[in-house]
Amino acid sequence: MTSFPNLNYGYTNNQQQQNIENPELTLSAVDYSLLTDLYQLTMTACYTGEGLEQRRASFELFVRRLPDNFGYLIAMGLAQALEYLEKFRFSPSGIEALQATGIFAKAPENFWSLLAEGRFTGDVWAVPEGTAVFANEPLLRVEAPLWQAQLVETYLLNTLNYQSLIATRAARLRDVASQATLLEFGTRRAFSPQASLWAARAALAGGLDATSNVLAALQLGEKPSGTMAHALVMALSAMEGSEDQAFTVFQRYFPGAPLLIDTYDTIAAAERLAAKVNSGEMKLSGVRLDSGDLVSLSKQVRSLLPGVSIFASGDLDEWEIARLVAAGAQIDGYGLGTRLVTGSPINGVYKLVEIDGIPVMKHSSGKATYPGRKQIFRFFERGKVKADSLGLAAQQQTEKIQETEETEETEKTTDKNVKFLQSSEVPLLQLFLKEGKRVQPVETLAEIRQRTATSVASLPDETRRFDNPVSVRVEISTQLEELTQKTKNNTAQVQRG
């Protein structure tokens, strides 16, 4: 591990405060290039000093293994990744701050000019957001000059890892909740204000109906949604005299809005509301339960308020909702927070697979990688994903050329399943950036949400289940296996000298 001593780089006390302290720790596009790990910059300096910085390199982002009890992942975060790449540049002030650290005192002079003049000029291949993927399948590939492809690693992993986690959890929640209303309530539990925005976006794209995060909703062109908190009930009860008066006041300003009824006595509150609804004194669209035995309480509330939607919240996740559904809980909607926006991380990695046309791979025990630029080929059978094949990107072009010749032979086969599989092969990675410029239009949240639903629906039941799921089989193509062995042999030969 490379470490750097805590040296005094010649700052005065005022300079130290001006250059180092920023209590807000906020992020803007001008800072994007510096939101990276130090070793990305030190490696770039080395590449520059050795004259390698402009060599064409390909890196792929993938996960080696899925989180426990996850049968698939929903790819998400590409939109923010592309925005980042389009705006990637080093500001003069950012370069000055790097120079002032003293860490790069021996870096070549053209390292600084590279940063000052550089932009992202590479290509990006990726699976569209909302697509289900499995272990070892690239969600994204960057093909660019080595220094560019290296520097963007940290930010790409940050956005794709986190948003893919949230989108996957959201898709699983939608799968088990069926048509129930699902709201994202995770802002206060997200790991940062920025994370809360990404979590809200990924949750909506993954299948949830709305978010309580006002800023996220407005930026996404959505309408924020929410109910009320216990604080309002307690404050107005104390000042106005009763829980019922608190409900009346809230309804005065937000007619028909759902009411939180478990602050004191859930059933007693429901009985009083039922009397008002039945007498025509109040119109009520819904109530929320945030504690207690949700199965028993929801059934009792339903008997008292049969025409009113019942909403539940309180550390819920897909397993708990599955339990509630199985137990016959009378719940029409759920609020998801802590367990949606936190939980098991996605340990995505970003690895070099080709440099200057030379396939490369990592040999480390338990962390070996496949060499070369790759493509995912998905096979469908009667609308369901049958298997994936991880092959070389070059295979896609080769197979297109062979397609006409193979068609005649395929039509002669007596195995209809084989014929269907061959006609249903779909390459998943698509070109999104060419020479740093977009080649596909920006997708709407609705389009991504629909792709997520379609993608999940196409998965086998054993892949969608929550306990001991079985992922879709990912086969390694013959060409990739041969390249892997060839690369191993070449590497061994080079290491022997």
Side-chain angles (χ1 to χ4, degrees):
M1 179 182 295
T2 301
S3 60
F4 300 92
N6 185 18
L7 300 176
N8 183 337
Y9 298 120
Y11 291 135
T12 65
N13 287 336
N14 288 338
Q15 285 175 322
Q16 284 182 326
Q17 291 183 352
Q18 181 179 359
N19 292 332
I20 297 175
E21 294 182 9
N22 178 8
E24 292 184 5
L25 285 177
T26 53
L27 176 67
S28 64
V30 73
D31 301 316
Y32 278 169
S33 59
L34 293 179
L35 189 64
T36 189
D37 292 302
L38 177 62
Y39 74 0
Q40 312 292 10
L41 288 159
T42 56
M43 286 189 286
T44 298
C46 291
Y47 296 147
T48 306
E50 297 302 305
L52 301 176
E53 75 279 4
Q54 299 297 344
R55 299 296 179 93
R56 191 74 171 179
S58 296
F59 285 76
E60 291 181 345
L61 191 156
F62 61 94
V63 297
R64 291 194 179 94
R65 62 190 66 85
L66 302 180
D68 290 343
N69 285 317
F70 278 50
Y72 63 91
L73 292 180
I74 296 297
M76 199 64 63
L78 178 62
Q80 284 64 50
L82 298 179
E83 284 286 334
Y84 159 74
L85 293 172
E86 287 184 310
K87 296 176 180 178
F88 181 82
R89 57 186 50 83
F90 284 85
S91 67
S93 61
I95 292 175
E96 289 175 8
L98 286 176
Q99 291 172 329
T101 66
I103 294 172
F104 300 91
K106 294 186 178 182
E109 189 60 33
N110 55 336
F111 168 69
W112 301 111
S113 60
L114 185 73
L115 299 187
E117 300 167 6
R119 302 288 186 272
F120 182 78
T121 60
D123 301 343
V124 173
W125 291 76
V127 298
E129 290 187 292
T131 302
V133 294
F134 310 103
N136 293 310
E137 295 184 334
L139 282 69
L140 172 146
R141 181 172 69 251
V142 172
E143 302 174 5
L146 178 57
W147 77 274
Q148 297 176 19
Q150 184 73 72
L151 271 178
V152 300
E153 172 183 0
T154 301
Y155 195 96
L156 296 182
L157 283 170
N158 185 282
T159 180
L160 269 74
N161 277 342
Y162 187 60
Q163 289 201 56
S164 294
L165 169 65
I166 307 306
T168 306
R169 298 298 298 267
R172 287 155 59 93
L173 287 161
R174 171 52 65 202
D175 205 11
V176 69
S178 187
Q179 299 302 311
T181 298
L182 299 178
L183 302 184
E184 187 275 319
F185 282 177
T187 298
R188 65 188 63 191
R189 298 288 191 265
F191 296 133
S192 71
Q194 176 64 73
S196 75
L197 298 177
W198 283 357
R201 176 188 184 270
L204 294 177
L208 270 61
D209 296 290
T211 177
S212 65
N213 188 317
V214 177
L215 178 60
L218 296 179
Q219 288 190 345
L220 292 167
E222 301 280 323
K223 186 177 180 179
S225 182
T227 57
M228 60 193 296
H230 295 102
L232 183 138
V233 176
M234 292 187 290
L236 293 183
S237 294
M239 301 302 295
E240 302 287 342
S242 71
E243 182 180 37
D244 286 357
Q245 286 174 301
F247 291 155
T248 298
V249 169
F250 192 68
Q251 288 267 313
R252 181 184 306 150
Y253 299 105
F254 302 97
L259 300 175
L260 179 61
I261 64 172
D262 71 336
T263 304
Y264 303 116
D265 185 323
T266 301
I267 301 306
E271 289 173 341
R272 296 194 305 272
L273 287 172
K276 292 186 177 183
V277 170
N278 293 335
S279 67
E281 183 181 345
M282 173 186 287
K283 291 183 179 180
L284 185 60
S285 65
V287 295
R288 177 160 72 98
L289 310 176
D290 191 55
S291 60
D293 183 341
L294 295 179
V295 175
S296 175
L297 289 174
S298 66
K299 290 179 179 180
Q300 293 179 72
V301 171
R302 175 71 78 220
S303 67
L304 293 167
L305 296 166
V308 175
S309 295
I310 300 174
F311 194 79
S313 57
D315 291 332
L316 302 178
D317 60 16
E318 57 265 47
W319 285 278
E320 180 61 12
I321 291 178
R323 186 191 72 80
L324 292 171
V325 171
Q330 299 295 298
I331 298 174
D332 304 296
Y334 301 89
L336 296 315
T338 303
R339 296 185 182 180
L340 169 63
V341 303
T342 61
S344 301
I346 290 177
N347 292 316
V349 295
Y350 180 87
K351 298 301 177 183
L352 179 69
V353 297
E354 186 179 283
I355 176 70
D356 209 24
I358 303 170
V360 296
M361 62 181 293
K362 187 174 179 179
H363 296 250
S364 307
S365 176
K367 292 187 175 182
T369 59
Y370 290 106
R373 294 175 295 116
K374 291 174 281 296
Q375 176 61 277
I376 307 166
F377 300 95
R378 180 154 293 173
F379 298 89
F380 293 87
E381 184 178 54
R382 290 186 288 274
K384 292 287 186 179
V385 177
K386 181 68 175 178
D388 279 3
S389 174
L390 185 61
L392 297 175
Q395 288 178 222
Q396 188 173 354
Q397 295 301 320
T398 301
E399 289 170 0
K400 284 182 179 179
I401 295 173
Q402 295 174 342
E403 186 176 333
T404 302
E405 297 176 0
E406 293 177 350
T407 299
E408 293 182 3
E409 186 63 28
T410 300
E411 290 174 348
K412 296 177 184 178
T413 184
T414 57
D415 188 338
K416 294 182 180 180
N417 288 334
V418 171
K419 180 178 179 180
F420 186 85
L421 284 174
Q422 289 178 341
S423 64
S424 301
E425 177 183 314
V426 179
L428 299 188
L429 288 158
Q430 300 178 17
L431 182 64
F432 281 87
L433 285 187
K434 179 68 174 176
E435 297 179 354
K437 304 295 183 182
R438 288 182 189 260
V439 295
Q440 295 204 33
V442 177
E443 290 191 306
T444 67
L445 206 59
E447 290 172 327
I448 300 170
R449 184 186 291 120
Q450 181 56 54
R451 181 180 296 113
T452 301
T454 301
S455 190
V456 172
S458 73
L459 298 175
D461 291 342
E462 63 183 10
T463 302
R464 293 163 62 176
R465 70 191 184 206
F466 300 153
D467 296 315
N468 301 311
V470 179
S471 285
V472 168
R473 183 175 76 257
V474 180
E475 301 172 345
I476 306 303
S477 75
T478 301
Q479 294 92 328
L480 180 54
E481 286 183 340
E482 291 174 349
L483 180 63
T484 301
Q485 189 58 52
K486 181 179 178 181
T487 305
K488 285 182 180 179
N489 294 341
N490 291 343
T491 302
Q493 185 175 358
V494 170
Q495 295 303 315
R496 287 194 300 267

